[in-house]
Amino acid sequence: MPTPLHFNAFVMNTGSHIHHGQWRRPDAQQTEFNDVQTWIHLAKLLEEAKFDAMFFADVSGLYGDSDADFDVYAREGLQIPSNDPTVLLSALAVNTEHIGLALTSNVVQSHPFHFARQVSTLDHISNGRIAWNVVTGMQNNGARNFGQSQLTDHTERYEWAEEYVDVTYKLWEGSWDEGALLKDKKGSSFSDPSKIHKIHHRGKRYSVEGPHLPSPSPQRTPVLYQAGSSASGRGFAARNAEAVFIIAPSPAVAAEQIAETRALAVSYGRNADDIKFFQGLSFVIGDTEEEARAKAVEYEKYVSVDGYLAHMAVVDKDGRVYDPSTPLKDVDTNGARGFLEWTSRYITDREPVVGDLGILQARNTRLVGTPESIADQIEVWQAAGVDGINVINWVIPGSFEEFADRVLPVLRERGLAQSSYADGPLRQKLFGSPRLNERHPAARYRGAFAADAAPQVVEEQLAGA
């Protein structure tokens, strides 16, 4: 029997997320992203369709050259204006029951103690349906918004992320023992103080005493997403991620990236199947192949070429935008290296250039055809090692309505999509257990801060700082 795939709605709390220019269509409601009812309606629609999760992207600044004007971003609505997904998830949590809710948060934008508390609160509110997409950022403007002169070096950003997640793991997994929360009215004891611990983290960037203020949420640690595809990103994912979001330009490139990351995970003591891979795809659906191709032409009438190129801008270490005709081999960027690596592997008959990045982003991750032929193509991606699809919309809510009504029934007939939700928190739905398995690095902090264990933990932290 085939293994059902997982399906996320890949969205952003903004007017123009991935497919730039489509907001101009008469049926596009993403223009109303400030209205919480837009998202509540979509969340209910997706839950009715049995999507696994809503996955919210986010940024902490503008793309491109920090010192250049940002007219194109404002004119195209290219992720400006945009709102904080972490706040929005509270509203969606209380208006849904089963669907997972994934947020993106950059390590630069929030102190790990504060962020860990926010996520635990959301996990309580949602009864265990929260996921976190761990990102290191790739906008110089975003770095400046948090007091840096420019974006931190690519490798160092992932070292930063390692300490950041380490702090959150200690808070989520180690600060409270099982059974610490009592709520014992007769015994007049709300919690057992002997089972609540300070973490005394001392590192290069953070000093966090603890304890974690929330009691353990249903998942303790949220489901961990990661989207980096560079060498550093794959290494981070292999150590930490449970789900990896990719936008590979072809199943062959996806297969290579997936195999590399799974092998790395095994080298770090994890199992290859401890990580699920989600390919980002958008869909143009017709009753016939001819109708689907005609619809694709119609969609392209709304495409903003400026928007795509601005979104995929690759800048040098001084924050200057590369010309679209620049060969990729001449690019030395501190930004989205993974996209460069994918493109270089995909284009082999000529020298790839910066402008190819936008073209591939716009076309090579869309599937065009009838529901049956799209299902056929999805099977090819699954054969490449993909565990799920991040469905990218052209318009909200129409793209998701069409996929739910036309493609998902065909996939269900083939055993490739779930017909009902499994019980329990999001991690249990995805992996069969609500808590991180013992192979994950966060598991080492369980019981590590008890009185007899804490001195050794602190000594090890100081030695590594």
Side-chain angles (χ1 to χ4, degrees):
M1 293 293 293
T3 301
L5 289 160
H6 301 288
F7 292 90
N8 296 332
F10 186 44
V11 294
M12 186 172 175
N13 198 358
T14 189
S16 191
H17 176 206
I18 298 293
H19 286 307
H20 303 296
Q22 299 296 321
W23 61 268
R24 298 177 304 198
R25 286 172 44 173
D27 58 338
Q29 292 302 305
Q30 58 262 42
T31 52
E32 308 311 308
F33 74 91
N34 282 326
D35 186 348
V36 70
Q37 293 303 323
T38 297
W39 298 108
I40 291 172
H41 171 76
L42 179 60
K44 290 180 176 180
L45 183 159
L46 295 167
E47 187 165 78
E48 178 66 25
K50 305 301 184 290
F51 271 69
D52 291 84
M54 295 179 74
F55 179 0
F56 281 87
D58 195 30
V59 291
S60 54
L62 300 171
Y63 290 84
D65 186 348
S66 293
D67 295 319
D69 66 58
F70 52 90
D71 293 8
V72 65
Y73 303 99
R75 186 172 62 251
E76 299 297 336
L78 200 167
Q79 301 183 14
I80 180 174
S82 66
N83 295 334
D84 186 344
T86 307
V87 178
L88 176 61
L89 260 55
S90 293
L92 303 186
V94 298
N95 280 280
T96 56
E97 184 178 358
H98 300 289
I99 194 167
L101 301 168
L103 63 97
T104 296
S105 184
N106 187 334
V107 298
V108 73
Q109 73 187 61
S110 183
H111 191 281
F113 180 84
H114 173 66
F115 177 72
R117 189 184 187 200
Q118 286 182 304
V119 169
S120 292
T121 303
L122 284 171
D123 206 50
H124 278 301
I125 292 171
S126 66
N127 293 315
R129 292 184 283 134
I130 301 301
W132 171 29
N133 177 33
V134 189
V135 297
T136 63
M138 61 180 187
Q139 296 94 23
N140 268 309
N141 175 246
R144 291 184 181 184
N145 286 335
F146 291 94
Q148 301 174 42
S149 60
Q150 64 179 13
L151 195 63
T152 306
D153 176 76
H154 186 268
T155 301
E156 186 179 346
R157 293 205 306 275
Y158 277 101
E159 293 174 357
W160 181 351
E162 290 284 1
E163 183 182 357
Y164 192 101
V165 298
D166 199 48
V167 174
T168 62
Y169 295 161
K170 290 171 182 176
L171 293 167
W172 288 325
E173 297 291 333
S175 188
W176 287 65
D177 295 342
E178 294 294 330
L181 183 66
L182 301 174
K183 295 191 285 189
D184 181 2
K185 294 184 178 182
K186 291 184 178 180
S188 190
S189 182
F190 205 93
S191 301
D192 183 346
S194 70
K195 295 184 176 182
I196 304 172
H197 315 290
K198 294 182 177 182
I199 64 169
H200 296 291
H201 176 88
R202 302 291 185 272
K204 179 180 178 180
R205 291 184 177 272
Y206 300 108
S207 176
V208 180
E209 182 172 276
H212 192 41
L213 294 181
S215 60
S217 68
Q219 297 183 118
R220 282 188 177 256
T221 298
V223 174
L224 298 165
Y225 276 82
Q226 210 273 329
S229 57
S230 65
S232 296
R234 289 195 296 273
F236 182 87
R239 288 186 292 273
N240 297 283
E242 298 174 274
V244 173
F245 169 37
I246 62 176
I247 311 184
S250 70
V253 175
E256 183 178 354
Q257 181 181 344
I258 290 168
E260 289 176 359
T261 308
R262 291 195 192 281
L264 278 173
V266 171
S267 74
Y268 293 129
R270 305 179 70 194
N271 289 350
D273 60 359
D274 283 346
I275 305 176
K276 294 184 182 293
F277 290 83
F278 288 76
Q279 168 69 20
L281 294 172
S282 51
F283 302 89
V284 182
I285 308 162
D287 290 331
T288 65
E289 297 295 328
E290 292 75 16
E291 179 184 321
R293 287 193 292 270
K295 286 179 69 173
V297 171
E298 182 66 22
Y299 287 11
E300 290 191 349
K301 291 180 181 178
Y302 292 94
V303 162
S304 167
V305 174
D306 286 348
Y308 279 108
L309 292 178
H311 190 178
M312 294 300 298
V314 179
V315 299
D316 62 23
K317 293 185 181 300
D318 294 321
R320 304 297 174 183
V321 176
Y322 280 98
D323 186 275
S325 63
T326 305
L328 290 190
K329 64 180 179 61
D330 296 335
V331 171
D332 181 15
T333 181
N334 196 26
R337 292 184 179 177
F339 288 113
L340 273 69
E341 293 175 11
W342 285 341
T343 305
S344 296
R345 294 178 185 181
Y346 186 72
I347 297 176
T348 58
D349 60 338
R350 59 178 173 79
E351 185 69 41
V353 297
V354 169
D356 291 321
L357 295 169
I359 300 301
L360 290 177
Q361 180 76 350
R363 293 186 174 181
N364 283 347
T365 56
R366 75 178 186 189
L367 302 186
V368 180
T370 65
E372 291 74 18
S373 69
I374 285 174
D376 293 340
Q377 295 173 76
I378 288 175
E379 288 185 356
V380 175
W381 284 96
Q382 185 182 44
V386 166
D387 302 286
I389 305 298
N390 275 350
V391 180
I392 301 170
N393 65 275
W394 305 94
V395 296
I396 288 176
S399 296
F400 296 114
E401 288 175 329
E402 190 174 34
F403 186 82
D405 292 342
R406 306 191 66 183
V407 177
L408 282 178
V410 176
L411 293 170
R412 289 193 182 103
E413 289 176 0
R414 301 186 187 190
L416 295 174
Q418 66 181 1
S419 299
S420 61
Y421 286 106
D423 293 332
L426 178 59
R427 182 176 287 108
Q428 185 168 331
K429 289 176 168 65
L430 295 174
F431 293 98
S433 174
R435 302 287 172 84
L436 283 166
N437 65 49
E438 70 283 355
R439 296 177 295 278
H440 194 277
R444 68 183 183 272
Y445 294 122
R446 294 167 183 162
F449 300 104
D452 56 346
Q456 178 64 26
V457 171
V458 174
E459 183 179 336
E460 291 173 355
Q461 290 175 171
L462 291 174

